[in-house]
């Protein structure tokens, strides 16, 4: 069934005229990314050429997707906007609040018992405001979106950084904070700096053990975790057409790990096959009518250096399987070289777990490729040396995989099939073999492998690979195993070698499902009441943020100077803290507890300048808040890397942090800070980071004249009375400065709606 087909037809009906006009205005052939962007301008028909990486542009996204952990805060904000219904098609997907422990049935039952208050809230608020609701167990948001909502040439935003997965079906799909989503839900434009463009030309064809996942693992090694910041990555070339739709989705999904705004592919036969297989033939028929407009112009792909800001070329026929990690997804190593590297770095060789699934690799094709390796282990009498965990991507995939015997293969190998949910990928994993202080290794087909990400243990070394490589490594139980060259000793004492994996792009018998888990909202939700208990520890109605006064930025104190990598996991941890995602006061108790204090190299241990004592970051910050003192957070490069969670901005804001001053920001986090009425600033001179001392006080001497393209001057007063003056750059435009002056973007929406 094709959801929102009339909306899709409208997008397609205007695309040719708008793209032709954009080509005329820009004066050159267009990439696919540009075609989609110019077709979704808030003002309609293009009338000017935008400068990449400079111009802020208002867009009109076609739809919004929210997962349950971030949907709580997004919808709590939307409830303040004074609207009776969302302005664009929106869905909520319950996939984050289900802990992987015993297996699908028991884990889902426990989740429905422990998080029923949150699920009931999300279901009722969705029903009231015209939002489609996907129940717990229905599947992982991005796989469900790919199967039901993504369409070539569309634009979508979602309150999860891996919304970019929909690029596998030719969308410009971007992860945003909840405040951005609220703007669009309320019928307002979505603002984005016009992205730069990185072109990745794929030639050749995948074969053997190399998978689509290896493309993005290779790209991550080239561009690093920040190399794609501010850019859309557009894949093209004959190699791109040789990839399956879900394989393209995998590549786009992990584009979030290089900081890319999003990634995308041009419409092709693989996408058409996927649309028809997922009961959306009508969309395929409509897309075929404007097929040339759903990919980049021929001239662009023939001479990419003239049209992209950067071009990378990868020959798929020469690409080798990779495992990336540990602790960062851009540390790329070809499989055959990993053993030597592990020994040199003292990474544990023994592998304890192999985890297959997540929004990155949980399609039917992914399961078949991994199952082909699992079946070989059974047939060749190989007993797995590691534990196995499987997370199917959706109920449709799970039901179809069960029908086709794939799940039996995994279970016969001793694997635990978890719920169709995120599970270990986001820290929702009650690991059965807790390791404590012992260094240990796991391999998984997820996207992120930050410290503590999967199991909360800083000693767990996590490596990212394709599902089939994860299966092979887990069967061997060794990180240095190379299935292309190495053999294994079976139960009969024979040395056997694994054959290359075999995958099936789409189920030969078609997809099948009894209950997909979708609930359609009622046409009129005016009589539906959404109740939030004042005594709830899980949900809390929001109070508007009060604007930060200029006078409060004279005498601001340093809360923490973060050392090294500081991701959203460090700023607002997931795992057990997910239960408080709808309660700002309670979740604020995890604010920056994972950040490393530059002055003592400890986490959650900072100096309170009021009494000279040390304490946890949230505790010290609450003392500053009681005293009416604003604070500042100082950070390193790519601050806020990772998830789109706006809690990482809302929590410091709620506790009284006024500014974040860093060497550089991850895109989504910088926007989230702006939306919540905070100052997100970067050092004009990165070396000034070293001038910040533990007892510093900050005076924003010219904040009264805060203006676009004008750096701010900050006087840093040290404990001994000496001073340093540093310059802080920013990217605020006039509208964003108004968000700051009003206390938040949401405050401004309420003012505009009231007028």
């Amino acid at each position: 069934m094709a959801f929102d087909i009339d909306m899709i037809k409208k997008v397609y009906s205007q695309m040719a005229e708008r793209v032709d006009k954009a080509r005329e205005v820009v004066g050159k052939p267009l990439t696919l990314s540009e075609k989609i962007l110019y077709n979704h301008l808030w003002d309609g028909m293009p009338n000017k050429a935008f400068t990449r990486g400079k111009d802020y542009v208002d867009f009109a996204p076609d739809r919004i997707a929210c997962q349950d952990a971030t949907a709580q805060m997004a919808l709590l904000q939307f409830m303040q906007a004074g609207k009776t219904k969302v302005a664009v098609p929106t869905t909520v997907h319950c996939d984050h609040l289900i802990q992987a422990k015993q297996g699908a049935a028991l884990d889902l039952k426990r989740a429905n018992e422990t998080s029923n208050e949150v699920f009931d809230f999300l279901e009722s608020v969705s029903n009231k405001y015209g939002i489609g609701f996907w129940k717990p167990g229905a599947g992982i948001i991005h796989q469900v979106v790919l199967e039901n909502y993504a369409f070539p040439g569309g634009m979508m935003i979602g309150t999860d950084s891996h919304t970019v997965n929909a690029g596998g079906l030719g969308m410009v799909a971007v992860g945003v904070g909840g405040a951005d989503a609220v703007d669009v839900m309320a019928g307002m434009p979505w603002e984005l700096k016009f992205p730069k463009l990185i072109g990745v030309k794929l030639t050749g064809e995948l074969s053997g053990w190399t998978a689509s996942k290896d493309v993005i693992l290779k790209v991550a090694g080239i561009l690093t975790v920040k190399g794609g910041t501010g850019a859309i990555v557009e894949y093209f070339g004959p190699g791109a057409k040789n990839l399956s739709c879900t394989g393209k989705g995998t590549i786009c999904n992990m584009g979030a790990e290089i900081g890319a705004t999003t990634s995308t592919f041009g419409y092709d036969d693989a996408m058409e096959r996927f649309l028809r297989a997922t009961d959306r033939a009508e969309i395929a028929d409509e897309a075929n009518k404007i097929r040339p407009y759903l990919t980049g112009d021929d001239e662009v792909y023939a001479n990419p250096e003239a049209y992209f800001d950067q071009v990378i070329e990868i020959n798929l026929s020469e690409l080798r399987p990779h495992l990336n990690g540990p602790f960062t997804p851009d540390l790329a190593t070809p499989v055959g070289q990993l053993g030597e590297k592990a020994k040199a770095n003292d990474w544990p060789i023994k592998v304890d777990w192999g985890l297959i699934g997540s929004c990155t690799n949980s399609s039917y094709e992914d399961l078949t490729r991994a199952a082909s390796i699992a079946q070989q282990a059974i047939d060749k009498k190989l007993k797995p040396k590691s534990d196995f965990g499987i997370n199917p991507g959706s109920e449709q995939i799970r039901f179809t995989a069960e029908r086709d015997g794939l799940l039996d293969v995994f279970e016969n190998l001793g694997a635990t099939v978890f719920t169709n949910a995120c599970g270990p990928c986001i820290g929702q994993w009650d690991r059965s073999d807790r390791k404590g202080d012992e260094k240990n290794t796991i391999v998984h087909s997820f996207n992120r492998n930050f410290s503590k990400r999967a199991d909360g243990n800083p000693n767990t070394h996590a490596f990212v690979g394709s599902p089939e490589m994860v299966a092979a490594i887990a069967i061997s139980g060794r990180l240095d195993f190379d299935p292309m060259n190495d053999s294994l000793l079976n139960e009969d004492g024979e040395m056997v070698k694994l054959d290359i994996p075999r995958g099936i792009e789409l189920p030969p018998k078609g997809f099948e499902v009894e209950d997909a888990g979708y609930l359609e909202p009622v046409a009129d939700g005016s009589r539906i009441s959404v109740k939030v208990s004042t005594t709830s520890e899980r949900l809390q109605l929001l109070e508007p943020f009060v604007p930060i006064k200029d006078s409060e930025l004279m005498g601001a104190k340093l809360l923490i100077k973060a050392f090294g990598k500081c991701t959203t996991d460090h700023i607002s941890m997931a795992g057990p803290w997910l239960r408080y995602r709808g309660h700002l006061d309670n979740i604020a108790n995890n604010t920056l507890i994972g950040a490393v204090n530059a002055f003592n190299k400890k986490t959650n241990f900072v100096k309170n300048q009021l009494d000279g004592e040390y304490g946890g970051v949230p505790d010290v910050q609450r003392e500053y808040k009681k005293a009416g003192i604003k604070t500042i957070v100082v950070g390193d490069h790519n601050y806020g890397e990772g998830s789109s969670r706006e809690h990482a901005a809302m929590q410091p804001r709620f506790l009284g942090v006024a500014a974040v001053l860093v060497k550089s920001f991850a895109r989504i986090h910088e926007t989230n800070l702006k939306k919540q009425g905070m100052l997100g600033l970067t050092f004009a001179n990165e070396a000034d980071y070293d001038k910040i001392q533990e007892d510093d006080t900050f005076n924003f001497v010219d904040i009264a004249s805060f203006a676009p393209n004008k750096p701010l001057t900050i006087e840093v007063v040290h404990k001994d009375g000496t001073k340093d003056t540093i310059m802080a750059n920013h990217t605020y435009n006039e509208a964003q400065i108004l968000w700051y002056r009003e206390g938040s973007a949401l405050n401004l929406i309420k003012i505009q709606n009231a007028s």
Side-chain angles (χ1 to χ4, degrees), residues 216-227:
I216 187 58
L217 295 179
K218 177 70 172 179
V219 170
I222 295 170
L223 289 177
T224 77
V225 292
K226 61 181 181 178

Side-chain angles (χ1 to χ4, degrees), residues 293-409:
Y293 290 91
L294 298 175
T295 190
D297 287 335
D298 291 341
E299 299 94 328
V300 170
Y301 295 158
N303 186 24
E305 286 80 7
Y307 300 98
F308 290 98
D309 297 291
Q310 180 180 356
V311 177
I312 297 168
E313 185 168 344
I314 297 174
N315 186 339
L316 300 183
S317 301
E318 298 175 355
L319 182 64
R320 297 185 61 187
H322 280 64
L323 278 178
N324 285 23
F327 306 126
T328 185
D330 62 347
L331 185 55
T333 307
V335 167
Q337 300 172 21
L338 191 57
E340 183 179 339
K341 195 170 184 178
K343 291 170 186 173
N345 289 279
D346 196 26
W347 300 334
I349 296 293
K350 179 178 178 291
V351 174
D352 293 304
W353 273 88
L355 298 159
I356 294 168
S358 90
C359 61
T360 321
N361 279 112
S362 56
S363 68
Y364 184 86
E365 181 183 29
D366 290 326
L367 293 185
T368 61
R369 289 179 68 85
S372 76
I373 301 302
Q375 186 62 56
Q376 285 187 56
I378 295 169
D379 295 342
K380 296 174 185 283
K381 298 183 179 180
L382 291 168
K383 185 176 181 180
K385 299 297 192 297
S386 310
D387 289 327
F388 262 106
I390 312 292
N391 284 86
S394 69
E395 175 58 17
Q396 178 169 262
I397 289 173
R398 188 211 64 78
F399 190 94
T400 304
E402 182 177 56
R403 180 202 67 191
D404 294 349
L406 298 178
L407 299 189
D408 286 341
V409 173

Side-chain angles (χ1 to χ4, degrees), residues 1-262:
M1 161 183 158
F3 287 92
D4 308 304
I5 187 63
D6 290 338
M7 176 269 287
I8 295 171
K9 287 181 177 179
K10 183 182 179 211
V11 172
Y12 286 171
S13 69
Q14 67 192 26
M15 191 160 191
E17 183 183 14
R18 290 189 178 185
V19 169
D20 288 345
K21 181 64 175 177
R23 196 182 288 114
E24 175 188 323
V25 169
V26 174
K28 61 181 180 63
L30 299 177
T31 64
L32 168 64
S33 305
E34 290 171 310
K35 290 180 181 181
I36 297 174
L37 293 170
Y38 278 106
N39 189 40
H40 286 85
L41 296 176
W42 178 258
D43 292 332
M45 193 66 68
N47 57 28
K48 66 169 288 190
F50 296 105
T51 303
R52 299 175 192 169
K54 181 178 179 181
D55 290 337
Y56 282 95
V57 183
D58 286 342
F59 293 102
D62 301 313
R63 65 176 314 109
I64 296 168
C66 309
Q67 42 94 334
D68 50 353
T70 54
Q72 296 171 64
M73 199 58 71
L75 294 178
L76 284 166
Q77 290 179 85
F78 180 73
M79 289 170 65
Q80 294 188 57
K83 298 291 185 178
T84 59
K85 194 171 185 177
V86 290
V88 301
T90 303
T91 53
V92 166
H93 305 256
C94 296
D95 63 352
H96 274 54
L97 299 178
I98 305 169
Q99 188 181 54
K101 183 176 182 180
Q102 297 167 284
L106 291 174
D107 292 348
L108 183 57
K109 181 177 183 293
R110 186 172 60 255
N112 277 316
E113 291 170 351
T114 58
S115 294
N116 64 305
E117 178 186 13
V118 173
F119 294 146
D120 288 348
F121 165 75
L122 292 174
E123 182 179 340
S124 63
V125 76
S126 295
N127 208 14
K128 182 175 182 63
Y129 294 109
I131 298 170
F133 182 75
W134 290 81
K135 298 184 294 185
I140 304 173
I141 175 173
H142 310 304
Q143 185 63 39
V144 172
V145 165
L146 198 69
E147 294 175 13
N148 294 275
Y149 298 113
F151 67 96
M155 175 182 279
M156 177 176 70
I157 60 173
T159 61
D160 187 282
S161 55
H162 292 105
T163 300
V164 295
N165 187 81
L169 204 36
M171 294 194 88
V172 163
V174 183
V176 299
D180 273 351
V182 169
D183 283 355
V184 179
M185 289 182 198
M188 300 181 70
W190 170 57
E191 183 188 67
L192 178 72
K193 184 181 288 186
F194 204 85
K196 295 181 180 180
L197 299 175
I198 297 174
V200 179
K201 182 179 181 180
L202 302 179
T203 60
E205 189 168 2
L206 295 174
S207 62
W209 282 88
T210 308
S212 297
K213 184 67 163 280
D214 296 305
V215 176
I216 187 58
L217 295 179
K218 177 70 172 179
V219 170
I222 295 170
L223 289 177
T224 77
V225 292
K226 61 181 181 178
T229 302
I232 292 179
V233 181
E234 185 171 324
Y235 292 84
F236 63 94
K241 295 179 180 179
N242 292 329
L243 302 174
S244 68
C245 180
T246 53
K248 291 178 173 72
T250 292
I251 294 169
C252 293
N253 181 292
M254 250 191 95
E257 273 50 78
I258 58 173
T261 300
T262 191

